[in-house]
Amino acid sequence: REGVEAIAVCFLNAYVNGAHEEQALEVIRAVAPTMSVSLSSRLAPIMGEYERGSTTVIDAFIRRRVVGYLEALGLRLRELGFKGEVTLVQSNGGAISLSATVSPFGTLTAQPGDVTFNFFQGAALRLSVPVSRTDPSSGTYSLASVIGPSGLDLAAGSYTVTANYAQGGGAYPSMASTPRTLTIALASSATALTVAPTAGPGLPSGIRFGQLVDITSTVTGTSGLPFATGSVSLFDGATNLTPTPLAVTGSTPASQTLTTSALSVGSHNLQAKYSGDSANYLASQSTVVPVTVSKADTSAAISVASPASAITAAGSPLTLRVVVSPAAYVQAAAARPTGTVTFTVAGVPQAPVAVQPDGSASLTFTPQGSGSFIASASYSGDSNYNTSLTASANYTVSSLALSLGASNPA
């Protein structure tokens, strides 16, 4: 329609794959070759639709004005005799705008030639980008792009940039511009940390001693460039939980998980710290995530260990045995329950008995009297485990009555 100066294109999932936005650009170019078009997948390939959409709309609104202003500024400075380099400081270091002007342009409004922007590091050519004439009313060729896989795929560093004009059958001869220096700084990164019990059936709420816990860090690169050689270290306060750091490589965002059952009972302040790399990203760290680890649950079972029949004669010893077991979610590598077990025999509490390394505690005593009796036990708990009670066990003490008879001989 008349009066349209720019178009912003923002598709829902373009931050993952910008192919459809590129196709939309081709359709727009076929209808309006000189239209200024901004693609969200090039400008801000990030998940948030609001942030990506608003950035694209703002770019569409100001691009033609900014490009025109910079071109006019450069031409006017040259008319005034300025021979230095004009550079533009950007807020995020993540996008650049380059332009090349073939001059004098005069009345030659149909130059068929293209300009190729070449990026060198020393003598090595890192990237070449051909650009057709941006504005048919001038001799300007513009390149506006993000730094990253969806745009100019260049690592951080210093580059020498030249614009090479190819004649393409027009009136102007092929030529090259004066080299300019482009410095790409390391982009910022963001690190987040989540802590959650490892998934599984029958797990309690919260985090318990000896339970497997997933500590996951997610590092996001703001420029969309892949990660190179950086790593993440996970800390509990000042204690490094990862003596061997977790590697951060590949595409952004990158997640790394430490699965551990080593968190002690009490409060923890967990944090992830990303080292950055020398190629693309600065270091970053997550906010501190407070975590509370509670005591694990136990169960206790009582039985008559000896005699096996649970029937003994009056005056004979009887041995009761209790086994204290950690909850099923407690890992085998975790410390076993300690503390004491108190037996209650026929309603009378006995002296506490220490829990052995195998989780057992035994009481041997000599019952008095005869009949059926009930025994139970309670586990005291310790710094890692909650208390527990046993069910009751029955035992029987039998007695033998002896009758003596005498007769007088006749």
Side-chain angles (χ1 to χ4, degrees):
R1 297 183 179 181
E2 294 183 1
V4 176
E5 297 181 358
I7 296 176
V9 180
C10 182
F11 292 163
L12 182 62
N13 294 315
Y15 70 96
V16 176
N17 186 340
H20 288 173
E21 288 193 351
E22 296 293 338
Q23 292 176 10
L25 174 62
E26 294 177 3
V27 172
I28 295 169
R29 288 280 185 247
V31 177
T34 64
M35 181 66 66
S36 177
V37 182
S38 299
L39 304 184
S40 72
S41 56
R42 293 184 180 181
L43 289 169
I46 57 177
M47 184 181 297
E49 289 83 6
Y50 174 80
E51 293 84 353
R52 183 158 48 89
S54 60
T55 299
T56 307
V57 170
I58 292 172
D59 180 80
F61 180 74
I62 67 173
R63 174 183 290 190
R64 288 182 66 88
R65 292 166 176 80
V66 171
V67 170
Y69 170 78
L70 293 176
E71 290 175 353
L73 175 63
L75 289 173
R76 182 56 179 160
L77 288 173
R78 285 191 289 273
E79 290 175 358
L80 295 174
F82 178 71
K83 297 182 180 180
E85 180 180 355
V86 178
T87 60
L88 178 66
V89 178
Q90 301 174 88
S91 62
N92 65 354
I96 63 170
S97 179
L98 304 175
S99 65
T101 301
V102 179
S103 60
F105 190 74
T107 59
L108 301 176
T109 60
Q111 287 299 318
D114 292 335
V115 162
T116 299
F117 291 93
N118 296 310
F119 299 82
F120 293 89
Q121 283 186 311
L125 177 62
R126 299 302 185 192
L127 185 67
S128 291
V129 182
V131 176
S132 299
R133 187 151 46 92
T134 307
D135 190 342
S137 64
S138 70
T140 299
Y141 300 73
S142 296
L143 170 64
S145 177
V146 295
I147 303 296
S150 61
L152 298 179
D153 197 359
L154 297 170
S158 182
Y159 296 84
T160 299
V161 184
T162 62
N164 293 73
Y165 174 74
Q167 184 177 16
Y172 295 145
S174 299
M175 64 190 81
S177 70
T178 301
R180 293 287 184 264
T181 300
L182 170 67
T183 299
I184 299 176
L186 292 172
S188 60
S189 65
T191 301
L193 182 70
T194 59
V195 182
T198 302
L203 295 180
S205 59
I207 297 175
R208 302 296 182 93
F209 172 78
Q211 183 179 5
L212 282 177
V213 177
D214 291 333
I215 306 174
T216 301
S217 66
T218 301
V219 184
T220 302
T222 56
S223 72
L225 288 167
F227 294 105
T229 57
S231 61
V232 158
S233 295
L234 303 177
F235 287 85
D236 181 3
T239 302
N240 190 348
L241 301 178
T242 49
T244 300
L246 308 177
V248 178
T249 57
S251 59
T252 179
S255 294
Q256 309 77 31
T257 298
L258 171 68
T259 300
T260 181
S261 61
L263 295 180
S264 60
V265 173
S267 298
H268 300 264
N269 292 314
L270 303 182
Q271 187 176 35
K273 297 182 179 181
Y274 170 57
S275 66
D277 58 37
S278 58
N280 297 323
Y281 291 108
L282 296 168
S284 61
Q285 61 187 31
S286 72
T287 57
V288 173
V289 177
V291 171
T292 299
V293 178
S294 304
K295 293 182 180 182
D297 296 316
T298 59
S299 59
I302 187 172
S303 62
V304 178
S306 176
S309 64
I311 301 174
T312 187
S316 298
L318 179 74
T319 300
L320 300 177
R321 184 172 186 263
V322 165
V323 176
V324 180
S325 301
Y329 54 77
V330 177
Q331 299 300 296
R336 299 294 92 181
T338 58
T340 61
V341 168
T342 298
F343 291 84
T344 298
V345 178
V348 179
Q350 307 296 304
V353 179
V355 176
Q356 300 302 305
D358 64 355
S360 69
S362 298
L363 174 68
T364 300
F365 66 102
T366 301
Q368 302 298 317
S370 61
S372 295
F373 299 89
I374 294 176
S376 62
S378 61
Y379 168 57
S380 66
D382 61 15
S383 60
N384 295 322
Y385 291 96
N386 289 318
T387 61
S388 56
L389 299 173
T390 68
S392 298
N394 296 317
Y395 66 93
T396 300
V397 179
S398 64
S399 62
L400 176 62
L402 179 62
S403 297
L404 296 177
S407 61
N408 293 322

